[in-house]
Amino acid sequence: MPTLVSAADHIQDLGRFVSASPSSFHAVQEAGRRLAEAGFVRLDEVEPWEGGAGAFFMIRDGALIAWVVPEGAGPGTGFNILGAHTDSPTFKLKPKPTTGGHGWLQAGVEVYGGPLLNSWLDRELQLAGRLVMLDGTEHLTATGPMLRFPQLAIHLDRAVNDGLVLDKQRHMNPVWGLGNPSDFDLLAVLASHVSGASVDPSRIGGYDVVIADTQAPAVFGGNREFFASGRLDNLSSTHAGLAALIAHASGPAPAGPIAVLAAFDHEEIGSNSRSGACGPILEDVLVRISDGLGATVSQRRQALSASFCVSADAGHAVHPNYAERHDPANHPVLNGGPLLKINANQRYATDAPGAAFWGRLCGAAGVPYQEFVSNNAIPCGSTIGPLTATRLGIRTVDVGVPLLSMHSAREMCGVEDPWRLAAVTELFFRTAV
């Protein structure tokens, strides 16, 4: 049976993980810190890697790959992979970011992915991400509550409740202070919030900085059955995989497949990057692991053929006020268990053998699961699942925690479901396909 903590403990820890992860770079830093505390060894891509059993991780920009090689693993040993992503829909800081007028200081931002724009209005927000100096050194920064997208008062737009229309360029420029923009430098503010280092803003050569909600995650509901937080899509899956891999490594001596957590970046914008699922990062790591076990090219292919990927990304629960937007026969609910996501056009990678394997895992873990399929009249989203299956030829199944308010600044899930996903994942990590 699973060795993870209770659902109540898991959801509190998910809240701590999300709070520590306002950007993808912070998410992999926090995940790496937890892995190192659990005895995992960080490897550098530019250095040689020794083969053999052990627990390891590597970080590339905003992506992290972690794995456990069991004793007795050989050149043809397969990989059981939990794929997730670290980024969330938001806004990203533009070049020349210090803007404003009419006595206000504002930040020039670009829409990242597909956020629900109205959900970001009238919230206390922060800037977070990485600053890269001209000498190549990197620093993480997070400002805490600093910005706001203020909504126009109803007195100045009497028809606003008949239909709010937000222009991404004109209306989505957050305020962060008062004054003349020519007298202030937003990069200097970001530099002042680097912890443990003195950063000269004039030496900043580049930056990847996004906006994040600062409201603390919270358990709520008549029976304390709901959980609200930013970035549940998809830190809920990243955290579940992280908790499961640490539990797997810290339990009895692992056996069976090589357990892998692949937390990619840039899923929300198509995954086309060196740290995204369309890039080579996962294949690079799997090849180096197999090489360390003495694999030939043929044995590497054998190992991939013996592998399985669970693509874990948040999905949709039925919305009680918009039930007609869902498939009429499949209505997943919060706390009904993780979703098994299915699409005839392979927008999700689930097939019949994968669905059967997922069903066996959930049954063995004592965890219920629910099937999700889209309404035929509403286009289906996609995940890293089809990308990984196509790139590596690994059988893949798409799953995830059901949410309401997906892509909102503050999403909502059930208290039980993230823990259930982690529990099934822990069993998956030690189960041969």
Side-chain angles (χ1 to χ4, degrees):
M1 291 297 293
T3 59
L4 291 165
V5 295
S6 68
D9 288 339
H10 183 92
I11 207 72
Q12 293 298 325
D13 192 59
L14 172 57
R16 289 189 289 271
F17 182 75
V18 171
S19 295
S21 305
S23 75
S24 58
F25 307 103
H26 287 84
V28 297
Q29 180 193 55
E30 174 63 12
R33 182 191 68 78
R34 292 176 176 221
L35 289 165
E37 284 187 355
F40 284 66
V41 176
R42 181 172 180 175
L43 301 179
D44 191 324
E45 285 191 89
V46 302
E47 300 292 336
W49 295 358
E50 294 184 8
F56 309 94
F57 71 98
M58 58 80 67
I59 291 174
R60 179 187 290 180
D61 299 328
L64 174 144
I65 312 288
W67 63 97
V68 177
V69 181
E71 294 286 350
T77 300
F79 302 92
N80 279 18
I81 304 162
L82 189 286
H85 66 88
T86 59
D87 62 320
S88 300
T90 181
F91 305 82
K92 188 174 182 182
L93 208 60
K94 287 182 176 181
K96 300 182 178 64
T98 311
T99 65
H102 311 287
W104 291 96
L105 299 176
Q106 294 176 274
V109 295
E110 188 175 7
V111 176
Y112 179 94
L116 280 172
L117 298 181
N118 64 296
S119 72
W120 291 81
L121 301 177
D122 301 331
R123 291 179 174 275
E124 290 66 58
L125 307 168
Q126 66 177 316
L127 290 171
R130 67 175 174 180
L131 308 177
V132 183
M133 312 308 290
L134 290 172
D135 64 4
T137 57
E138 296 187 12
H139 302 282
L140 295 188
T141 184
T143 64
M146 179 179 143
L147 308 95
R148 185 178 175 99
F149 293 105
Q151 188 168 188
L152 186 65
I154 193 171
H155 313 80
L156 303 177
D157 184 3
R158 295 290 184 177
V160 64
N161 288 327
D162 298 327
L164 175 64
V165 178
L166 295 171
D167 183 283
K168 295 176 182 178
Q169 181 61 47
R170 289 190 298 126
H171 301 145
M172 304 311 293
N173 290 292
V175 299
W176 62 274
L178 298 171
N180 187 331
S182 63
D183 297 331
F184 293 86
D185 182 4
L186 186 53
L187 294 184
V189 177
L190 291 171
S192 72
H193 284 89
V194 171
S195 178
S198 177
V199 173
D200 180 353
S202 70
R203 302 299 296 169
I204 296 174
Y207 48 87
D208 293 303
V209 174
V210 297
I211 289 179
D213 184 32
T214 61
Q215 186 177 355
V219 173
F220 71 106
N223 293 308
R224 308 279 291 169
E225 67 267 55
F226 302 136
F227 182 71
S229 174
R231 304 181 292 286
L232 291 178
D233 177 13
N234 187 34
L235 293 184
S236 60
S237 298
T238 298
H239 176 262
L242 180 65
L245 191 66
I246 290 173
H248 173 65
S250 61
I258 299 168
V260 181
L261 167 63
F264 301 101
D265 201 356
H266 301 134
E267 190 274 345
E268 297 293 351
I269 54 172
S271 297
N272 292 296
S273 71
R274 69 188 297 267
S275 54
C278 283
I281 180 171
L282 179 58
E283 183 177 15
D284 287 350
V285 171
L286 299 186
V287 166
R288 294 184 75 168
I289 295 170
S290 289
D291 285 353
L293 295 170
T296 63
V297 173
S298 178
Q299 287 170 322
R300 281 193 223 124
R301 302 311 308 176
Q302 176 187 344
L304 291 180
S305 296
S307 300
F308 196 96
C309 178
V310 172
S311 166
D313 200 350
H316 302 289
V318 63
H319 196 303
N321 298 335
Y322 302 90
E324 73 280 0
R325 300 297 184 98
H326 299 267
D327 179 75
N330 293 274
H331 281 182
V333 295
L334 301 189
N335 290 323
L339 302 178
L340 174 65
K341 300 158 75 174
I342 299 166
N343 179 257
N345 296 307
Q346 285 289 288
R347 299 290 286 169
Y348 303 131
T350 303
D351 61 8
F357 180 57
W358 178 252
R360 291 197 302 274
L361 281 174
C362 288
V367 167
Y369 71 95
Q370 310 174 85
E371 293 170 324
F372 170 83
V373 65
S374 292
N375 183 306
N376 289 347
I378 298 175
C380 176
S382 192
T383 68
I384 61 105
L387 306 177
T388 302
T390 300
R391 183 175 177 86
L392 298 178
I394 297 174
R395 189 180 301 282
T396 302
V397 63
D398 268 291
V399 307
V401 171
L403 302 183
L404 288 183
S405 307
M406 186 186 292
H407 285 202
S408 170
R410 192 167 175 86
E411 297 162 323
M412 172 181 170
C413 71
V415 165
E416 297 284 337
D417 293 326
W419 175 79
R420 286 169 170 164
L421 176 60
V424 180
T425 301
E426 186 197 1
L427 180 60
F428 166 65
F429 280 148
R430 50 189 168 88
T431 301
V433 179

